[in-house]
PDB file of all heavy atoms in Angstrom:
ATOM      1  N   GLY A 213      95.372  -0.394  -5.223  1.00  0.00           N
ATOM      2  CA  GLY A 213      94.929  -0.686  -3.865  1.00  0.00           C
ATOM      3  C   GLY A 213      93.759   0.181  -3.468  1.00  0.00           C
ATOM      4  O   GLY A 213      93.380   1.146  -4.137  1.00  0.00           O
ATOM      5  N   THR A 224      83.545  -0.914  -1.160  1.00  0.00           N
ATOM      6  CA  THR A 224      83.891  -2.239  -1.696  1.00  0.00           C
ATOM      7  C   THR A 224      85.346  -2.561  -1.511  1.00  0.00           C
ATOM      8  O   THR A 224      85.754  -3.700  -1.672  1.00  0.00           O
ATOM      9  CB  THR A 224      83.554  -2.319  -3.200  1.00  0.00           C
ATOM     10  OG1 THR A 224      84.251  -1.274  -3.870  1.00  0.00           O
ATOM     11  CG2 THR A 224      82.070  -2.197  -3.435  1.00  0.00           C
ATOM     12  N   SER A 231      94.587  -9.859  11.093  1.00  0.00           N
ATOM     13  CA  SER A 231      94.534 -11.072  11.906  1.00  0.00           C
ATOM     14  C   SER A 231      93.232 -11.829  11.685  1.00  0.00           C
ATOM     15  O   SER A 231      93.218 -13.049  11.564  1.00  0.00           O
ATOM     16  CB  SER A 231      94.681 -10.704  13.388  1.00  0.00           C
ATOM     17  OG  SER A 231      93.656  -9.797  13.776  1.00  0.00           O
ATOM     18  N   ILE A 276     101.269 -21.431   5.899  1.00  0.00           N
ATOM     19  CA  ILE A 276     101.174 -20.185   6.642  1.00  0.00           C
ATOM     20  C   ILE A 276     102.477 -19.435   6.407  1.00  0.00           C
ATOM     21  O   ILE A 276     103.510 -20.036   6.068  1.00  0.00           O
ATOM     22  CB  ILE A 276     100.934 -20.408   8.150  1.00  0.00           C
ATOM     23  CG1 ILE A 276     102.081 -21.212   8.778  1.00  0.00           C
ATOM     24  CG2 ILE A 276      99.602 -21.077   8.395  1.00  0.00           C
ATOM     25  CD1 ILE A 276     101.964 -21.350  10.285  1.00  0.00           C
ATOM     26  N   LEU A 286      99.915 -10.964  -8.501  1.00  0.00           N
ATOM     27  CA  LEU A 286      98.630 -11.659  -8.589  1.00  0.00           C
ATOM     28  C   LEU A 286      97.496 -10.844  -7.983  1.00  0.00           C
ATOM     29  O   LEU A 286      96.321 -11.130  -8.232  1.00  0.00           O
ATOM     30  CB  LEU A 286      98.727 -13.015  -7.891  1.00  0.00           C
ATOM     31  CG  LEU A 286      99.509 -14.084  -8.666  1.00  0.00           C
ATOM     32  CD1 LEU A 286      99.911 -15.228  -7.751  1.00  0.00           C
ATOM     33  CD2 LEU A 286      98.705 -14.597  -9.855  1.00  0.00           C
ATOM     34  N   LEU A 305      99.725 -14.823   6.310  1.00  0.00           N
ATOM     35  CA  LEU A 305      98.892 -15.568   5.376  1.00  0.00           C
ATOM     36  C   LEU A 305      98.621 -16.960   5.910  1.00  0.00           C
ATOM     37  O   LEU A 305      99.411 -17.538   6.654  1.00  0.00           O
ATOM     38  CB  LEU A 305      99.541 -15.650   3.996  1.00  0.00           C
ATOM     39  CG  LEU A 305     100.864 -16.403   3.858  1.00  0.00           C
ATOM     40  CD1 LEU A 305     100.645 -17.869   3.480  1.00  0.00           C
ATOM     41  CD2 LEU A 305     101.749 -15.736   2.800  1.00  0.00           C
ATOM     42  N   SER A 322     102.536 -50.429 -22.116  1.00  0.00           N
ATOM     43  CA  SER A 322     103.066 -49.319 -22.908  1.00  0.00           C
ATOM     44  C   SER A 322     102.106 -48.140 -23.054  1.00  0.00           C
ATOM     45  O   SER A 322     102.515 -47.074 -23.511  1.00  0.00           O
ATOM     46  CB  SER A 322     103.463 -49.815 -24.306  1.00  0.00           C
ATOM     47  OG  SER A 322     102.347 -50.385 -24.975  1.00  0.00           O
ATOM     48  N   ASP A 334      92.923 -20.037  -3.356  1.00  0.00           N
ATOM     49  CA  ASP A 334      93.436 -18.719  -2.990  1.00  0.00           C
ATOM     50  C   ASP A 334      92.363 -17.655  -3.117  1.00  0.00           C
ATOM     51  O   ASP A 334      91.535 -17.707  -4.040  1.00  0.00           O
ATOM     52  CB  ASP A 334      94.613 -18.328  -3.891  1.00  0.00           C
ATOM     53  CG  ASP A 334      95.939 -18.864  -3.377  1.00  0.00           C
ATOM     54  OD1 ASP A 334      95.979 -19.330  -2.223  1.00  0.00           O
ATOM     55  OD2 ASP A 334      96.923 -18.831  -4.128  1.00  0.00           O
ATOM     56  N   SER A 342      87.430 -20.400 -13.934  1.00  0.00           N
ATOM     57  CA  SER A 342      86.943 -21.425 -13.028  1.00  0.00           C
ATOM     58  C   SER A 342      87.959 -21.745 -11.937  1.00  0.00           C
ATOM     59  O   SER A 342      89.165 -21.688 -12.149  1.00  0.00           O
ATOM     60  CB  SER A 342      86.618 -22.697 -13.815  1.00  0.00           C
ATOM     61  OG  SER A 342      86.326 -23.771 -12.950  1.00  0.00           O
ATOM     62  N   ALA A 349      96.772 -33.294 -19.014  1.00  0.00           N
ATOM     63  CA  ALA A 349      95.871 -34.386 -19.392  1.00  0.00           C
ATOM     64  C   ALA A 349      96.373 -34.935 -20.720  1.00  0.00           C
ATOM     65  O   ALA A 349      96.256 -34.270 -21.745  1.00  0.00           O
ATOM     66  CB  ALA A 349      94.430 -33.897 -19.514  1.00  0.00           C
ATOM     67  N   GLU A 377     114.164 -29.233 -11.712  1.00  0.00           N
ATOM     68  CA  GLU A 377     113.681 -28.984 -10.347  1.00  0.00           C
ATOM     69  C   GLU A 377     112.349 -29.671 -10.089  1.00  0.00           C
ATOM     70  O   GLU A 377     112.154 -30.318  -9.059  1.00  0.00           O
ATOM     71  CB  GLU A 377     113.456 -27.488 -10.131  1.00  0.00           C
ATOM     72  CG  GLU A 377     114.635 -26.648  -9.770  1.00  0.00           C
ATOM     73  CD  GLU A 377     114.176 -25.228  -9.502  1.00  0.00           C
ATOM     74  OE1 GLU A 377     113.659 -24.562 -10.424  1.00  0.00           O
ATOM     75  OE2 GLU A 377     114.319 -24.776  -8.355  1.00  0.00           O
ATOM     76  N   PRO A 460      99.069  -0.556 -15.191  1.00  0.00           N
ATOM     77  CA  PRO A 460      99.869   0.625 -15.546  1.00  0.00           C
ATOM     78  C   PRO A 460     100.748   0.403 -16.763  1.00  0.00           C
ATOM     79  O   PRO A 460     100.999   1.320 -17.540  1.00  0.00           O
ATOM     80  CB  PRO A 460     100.708   0.870 -14.288  1.00  0.00           C
ATOM     81  CG  PRO A 460      99.907   0.289 -13.186  1.00  0.00           C
ATOM     82  CD  PRO A 460      99.238  -0.916 -13.773  1.00  0.00           C
ATOM     83  N   PHE A 476      94.394 -11.943 -19.108  1.00  0.00           N
ATOM     84  CA  PHE A 476      94.608 -12.495 -20.443  1.00  0.00           C
ATOM     85  C   PHE A 476      94.742 -14.016 -20.366  1.00  0.00           C
ATOM     86  O   PHE A 476      95.030 -14.592 -19.316  1.00  0.00           O
ATOM     87  CB  PHE A 476      95.847 -11.879 -21.094  1.00  0.00           C
ATOM     88  CG  PHE A 476      97.144 -12.503 -20.641  1.00  0.00           C
ATOM     89  CD1 PHE A 476      97.812 -13.409 -21.446  1.00  0.00           C
ATOM     90  CD2 PHE A 476      97.702 -12.178 -19.411  1.00  0.00           C
ATOM     91  CE1 PHE A 476      98.999 -13.989 -21.030  1.00  0.00           C
ATOM     92  CE2 PHE A 476      98.888 -12.750 -18.993  1.00  0.00           C
ATOM     93  CZ  PHE A 476      99.542 -13.658 -19.797  1.00  0.00           C
ATOM     94  N   GLU A 481      95.104 -19.937 -29.178  1.00  0.00           N
ATOM     95  CA  GLU A 481      95.556 -19.992 -30.571  1.00  0.00           C
ATOM     96  C   GLU A 481      95.049 -18.741 -31.281  1.00  0.00           C
ATOM     97  O   GLU A 481      93.850 -18.473 -31.310  1.00  0.00           O
ATOM     98  CB  GLU A 481      95.037 -21.247 -31.264  1.00  0.00           C
ATOM     99  CG  GLU A 481      95.535 -21.417 -32.686  1.00  0.00           C
ATOM    100  CD  GLU A 481      97.058 -21.434 -32.777  1.00  0.00           C
ATOM    101  OE1 GLU A 481      97.713 -22.109 -31.945  1.00  0.00           O
ATOM    102  OE2 GLU A 481      97.591 -20.749 -33.670  1.00  0.00           O
ATOM    103  N   PHE A 527     113.260 -19.426 -27.199  1.00  0.00           N
ATOM    104  CA  PHE A 527     114.241 -19.462 -26.118  1.00  0.00           C
ATOM    105  C   PHE A 527     114.987 -20.788 -26.119  1.00  0.00           C
ATOM    106  O   PHE A 527     114.510 -21.799 -26.658  1.00  0.00           O
ATOM    107  CB  PHE A 527     113.596 -19.205 -24.748  1.00  0.00           C
ATOM    108  CG  PHE A 527     112.699 -20.297 -24.247  1.00  0.00           C
ATOM    109  CD1 PHE A 527     113.210 -21.374 -23.515  1.00  0.00           C
ATOM    110  CD2 PHE A 527     111.325 -20.244 -24.467  1.00  0.00           C
ATOM    111  CE1 PHE A 527     112.385 -22.366 -23.031  1.00  0.00           C
ATOM    112  CE2 PHE A 527     110.489 -21.238 -23.978  1.00  0.00           C
ATOM    113  CZ  PHE A 527     111.030 -22.298 -23.257  1.00  0.00           C
ATOM    114  N   PRO A 537     128.204 -38.957  -4.158  1.00  0.00           N
ATOM    115  CA  PRO A 537     127.993 -40.060  -3.218  1.00  0.00           C
ATOM    116  C   PRO A 537     127.618 -39.598  -1.815  1.00  0.00           C
ATOM    117  O   PRO A 537     127.054 -40.355  -1.049  1.00  0.00           O
ATOM    118  CB  PRO A 537     129.346 -40.780  -3.220  1.00  0.00           C
ATOM    119  CG  PRO A 537     129.981 -40.413  -4.514  1.00  0.00           C
ATOM    120  CD  PRO A 537     129.534 -39.014  -4.795  1.00  0.00           C
ATOM    121  N   THR A 551     111.203 -12.242 -27.007  1.00  0.00           N
ATOM    122  CA  THR A 551     109.797 -12.254 -27.387  1.00  0.00           C
ATOM    123  C   THR A 551     109.453 -10.921 -28.033  1.00  0.00           C
ATOM    124  O   THR A 551     109.987  -9.872 -27.640  1.00  0.00           O
ATOM    125  CB  THR A 551     108.895 -12.517 -26.159  1.00  0.00           C
ATOM    126  OG1 THR A 551     107.535 -12.630 -26.573  1.00  0.00           O
ATOM    127  CG2 THR A 551     109.015 -11.429 -25.116  1.00  0.00           C
ATOM    128  N   GLY A 555     104.009  -4.943 -35.196  1.00  0.00           N
ATOM    129  CA  GLY A 555     104.872  -4.740 -36.342  1.00  0.00           C
ATOM    130  C   GLY A 555     104.307  -3.660 -37.237  1.00  0.00           C
ATOM    131  O   GLY A 555     103.300  -3.033 -36.912  1.00  0.00           O
ATOM    132  N   TRP A 588     117.232 -11.097 -15.775  1.00  0.00           N
ATOM    133  CA  TRP A 588     117.204  -9.745 -16.320  1.00  0.00           C
ATOM    134  C   TRP A 588     116.524  -9.754 -17.685  1.00  0.00           C
ATOM    135  O   TRP A 588     116.462 -10.771 -18.377  1.00  0.00           O
ATOM    136  CB  TRP A 588     118.596  -9.130 -16.416  1.00  0.00           C
ATOM    137  CG  TRP A 588     119.555  -9.764 -17.394  1.00  0.00           C
ATOM    138  CD1 TRP A 588     119.869  -9.323 -18.642  1.00  0.00           C
ATOM    139  CD2 TRP A 588     120.357 -10.941 -17.180  1.00  0.00           C
ATOM    140  NE1 TRP A 588     120.807 -10.132 -19.221  1.00  0.00           N
ATOM    141  CE2 TRP A 588     121.122 -11.132 -18.342  1.00  0.00           C
ATOM    142  CE3 TRP A 588     120.500 -11.854 -16.129  1.00  0.00           C
ATOM    143  CZ2 TRP A 588     122.012 -12.199 -18.495  1.00  0.00           C
ATOM    144  CZ3 TRP A 588     121.374 -12.917 -16.266  1.00  0.00           C
ATOM    145  CH2 TRP A 588     122.112 -13.072 -17.430  1.00  0.00           C
ATOM    146  N   ARG A 595     111.858   2.234 -27.169  1.00  0.00           N
ATOM    147  CA  ARG A 595     110.796   3.224 -27.335  1.00  0.00           C
ATOM    148  C   ARG A 595     110.815   4.306 -26.267  1.00  0.00           C
ATOM    149  O   ARG A 595     109.860   5.054 -26.112  1.00  0.00           O
ATOM    150  CB  ARG A 595     109.427   2.539 -27.363  1.00  0.00           C
ATOM    151  CG  ARG A 595     109.229   1.681 -28.614  1.00  0.00           C
ATOM    152  CD  ARG A 595     107.823   1.117 -28.708  1.00  0.00           C
ATOM    153  NE  ARG A 595     107.657   0.385 -29.948  1.00  0.00           N
ATOM    154  CZ  ARG A 595     107.270   0.924 -31.099  1.00  0.00           C
ATOM    155  NH1 ARG A 595     107.022   2.221 -31.155  1.00  0.00           N
ATOM    156  NH2 ARG A 595     107.148   0.189 -32.181  1.00  0.00           N
ATOM    157  N   THR A 606     118.022 -10.310  -8.508  1.00  0.00           N
ATOM    158  CA  THR A 606     118.642 -11.488  -7.921  1.00  0.00           C
ATOM    159  C   THR A 606     117.774 -11.967  -6.767  1.00  0.00           C
ATOM    160  O   THR A 606     117.009 -11.184  -6.173  1.00  0.00           O
ATOM    161  CB  THR A 606     120.062 -11.199  -7.390  1.00  0.00           C
ATOM    162  OG1 THR A 606     119.987 -10.156  -6.404  1.00  0.00           O
ATOM    163  CG2 THR A 606     120.990 -10.778  -8.507  1.00  0.00           C
ATOM    164  N   GLU A 644     114.113   0.455  -7.483  1.00  0.00           N
ATOM    165  CA  GLU A 644     114.683  -0.745  -6.885  1.00  0.00           C
ATOM    166  C   GLU A 644     113.831  -1.174  -5.692  1.00  0.00           C
ATOM    167  O   GLU A 644     113.398  -0.335  -4.901  1.00  0.00           O
ATOM    168  CB  GLU A 644     116.123  -0.488  -6.449  1.00  0.00           C
ATOM    169  CG  GLU A 644     117.055  -0.171  -7.606  1.00  0.00           C
ATOM    170  CD  GLU A 644     118.506  -0.102  -7.178  1.00  0.00           C
ATOM    171  OE1 GLU A 644     118.781  -0.426  -6.000  1.00  0.00           O
ATOM    172  OE2 GLU A 644     119.345   0.277  -8.003  1.00  0.00           O
ATOM    173  N   ALA A 645     113.593  -2.485  -5.587  1.00  0.00           N
ATOM    174  CA  ALA A 645     112.735  -2.992  -4.519  1.00  0.00           C
ATOM    175  C   ALA A 645     113.326  -4.267  -3.952  1.00  0.00           C
ATOM    176  O   ALA A 645     114.001  -5.031  -4.646  1.00  0.00           O
ATOM    177  CB  ALA A 645     111.323  -3.254  -5.039  1.00  0.00           C
TER     178      ALA A 645
END
Side-chain angles (χ1 to χ4, degrees):
T224 57
S231 58
I276 60 175
L286 286 163
L305 64 93
S322 59
D334 274 348
S342 172
E377 277 184 297
F476 81 102
E481 184 57 44
F527 69 87
T551 185
W588 66 100
R595 292 186 176 272
T606 59
E644 296 188 6

